[in-house]
Amino acid sequence: MLRLLKETQTSLARKLQLGAAVIFATLLLLVYLYTAFVLRHDPTLTDLSIRLQGPSLNHPLGTDHLGRDVLTRLMLGGQQTIGYSLLALAAALLIGTAAGMVAGYRGGWLDRVFMRIADGFLAFPDMIVVIVLSGLLGPGLHSMIIAIVMVKWVSYARVVRTTVITESKQDYMLAARTNGLSPARMLTRHLLPHIAGQVLVLASLDLGKVILLISSLSYIGLGVQPPTPEWGAMLNDSRPYFQLAPELMLFPGLAIVLVVLCFTVLGDSIRDLYDVKKEVRG
């Protein structure tokens, strides 16, 4: 009875977390639509006559040190942060999936080369490697995306490689080879469906981490460059005015925390759902 009660409480807590995350994600989508079609202020237009003003009807979250509307920059900054995170994650997913499938299926020297490269990246924390690569490539959006992709493809490649090696020994793969199917057809028709679920679960868990990476790089000046609004860059711009106007750092910082928390909860829920489906199929 006690065990059943604990399981019920755990299930209810997960459902509440998932519901809150879905609601917040819906609000993010509405904010995106608002900023895409109903912008009232130019996010890069400076007006020193209204700098560091508090909330008002015209500026609901006030203005920053250059007189720019904080709400407009915060919403557009969300587009930049989340949009670039999705772009980098999608590129890493595609590259890692392709590399893992080829390495796992072909084996031999190609597999050893891919895995040694992967081991080299995994030997250091993601943040350190991304900072080093971004510094070598130079500050800017393209360098940031390339650095994140170069770090993140590794985890997808390893997961896909392991799955391909395991599935290649199954009877249906042996039958496919016997029937003369080409390697490309076996990879796309038979192996890819087994890989897709695991890769998507991993990507959903990675999204929050990538958002933190992009915000961190922009905060230290290696990511999105001014005057483009981005949450990490907004935090950096607001540091000298923390005592005078602490809300300038509070708003983007709180946005980062809430968005990362939201996507982390969604990722955990997707992982649990995938595990349940896997158990049912098994």
Side-chain angles (χ1 to χ4, degrees):
M1 184 67 180
L2 183 60
R3 180 180 177 183
L4 180 62
L5 181 60
K6 289 182 178 180
E7 291 179 353
T8 303
Q9 291 176 343
T10 302
S11 176
L12 180 61
R14 288 180 177 177
K15 289 180 180 180
L16 290 175
Q17 289 179 350
L18 177 60
V22 170
I23 291 173
F24 188 73
T26 304
L27 291 176
L28 286 177
L29 178 61
L30 294 176
V31 167
Y32 174 81
L33 295 174
Y34 176 83
T35 54
F37 300 107
V38 199
L39 273 180
R40 294 176 54 192
H41 300 279
D42 186 341
T44 60
L45 181 63
T46 61
D47 185 356
L48 296 180
S49 64
I50 56 171
R51 66 189 298 267
L52 298 178
Q53 284 191 352
S56 63
L57 291 178
N58 195 32
H59 303 284
L61 296 183
T63 59
D64 65 5
H65 61 290
L66 295 177
R68 298 171 297 191
D69 183 67
V70 173
L71 178 61
T72 301
R73 290 182 60 79
L74 189 69
M75 291 189 295
L76 282 178
Q79 287 188 20
Q80 301 287 331
T81 305
I82 299 173
Y84 293 143
S85 298
L86 291 172
L87 176 62
L89 198 59
L93 188 150
L94 292 175
I95 294 172
T97 300
M101 290 179 71
V102 172
Y105 186 80
R106 298 291 296 180
W109 68 268
L110 189 62
D111 181 31
R112 290 193 293 271
V113 169
F114 271 126
M115 290 306 102
R116 295 299 77 76
I117 295 174
D119 290 341
F121 279 104
L122 291 174
F124 303 95
D126 288 353
M127 179 63 73
I128 301 299
V129 179
V130 168
I131 290 175
V132 171
L133 291 175
S134 297
L136 293 174
L137 295 172
L141 172 61
H142 295 93
S143 299
M144 176 183 68
I145 298 296
I146 292 172
I148 292 175
V149 172
M150 290 178 66
V151 170
K152 282 297 179 182
W153 73 272
V154 174
S155 55
Y156 299 100
R158 291 179 67 89
V159 169
V160 170
R161 171 185 174 271
T162 302
T163 303
V164 168
I165 292 175
T166 302
E167 294 296 327
S168 295
K169 300 176 182 178
Q170 301 299 319
D171 292 340
Y172 72 91
M173 287 296 294
L174 298 176
R177 289 194 187 94
T178 303
N179 291 330
L181 286 183
S182 65
R185 190 169 180 81
M186 284 193 289
L187 287 173
T188 56
R189 182 176 179 179
H190 293 291
L191 290 175
L192 191 59
H194 291 85
I195 294 167
Q198 297 183 43
V199 169
L200 290 177
V201 169
L202 183 59
S204 66
L205 294 171
D206 260 349
L207 183 55
K209 300 177 184 177
V210 175
I211 290 175
L212 285 177
L213 282 175
I214 288 181
S215 299
S216 301
L217 288 174
S218 298
Y219 179 78
I220 63 178
L222 293 176
V224 178
Q225 300 297 301
T228 304
E230 194 280 330
W231 288 341
M234 291 175 66
L235 279 172
N236 186 41
D237 290 342
S238 305
R239 280 190 304 113
Y241 307 95
F242 178 71
Q243 293 184 345
L244 186 62
E247 67 275 6
L248 294 181
M249 292 192 70
L250 175 64
F251 294 138
L254 187 60
I256 293 172
V257 171
L258 291 177
V259 169
V260 170
L261 181 61
C262 169
F263 286 120
T264 300
V265 172
L266 285 176
D268 287 338
S269 301
I270 293 173
R271 180 189 58 190
D272 294 340
L273 181 63
Y274 177 75
D275 288 340
V276 169
K277 289 183 176 179
K278 194 172 181 180
E279 290 176 2
V280 171
R281 287 199 301 269

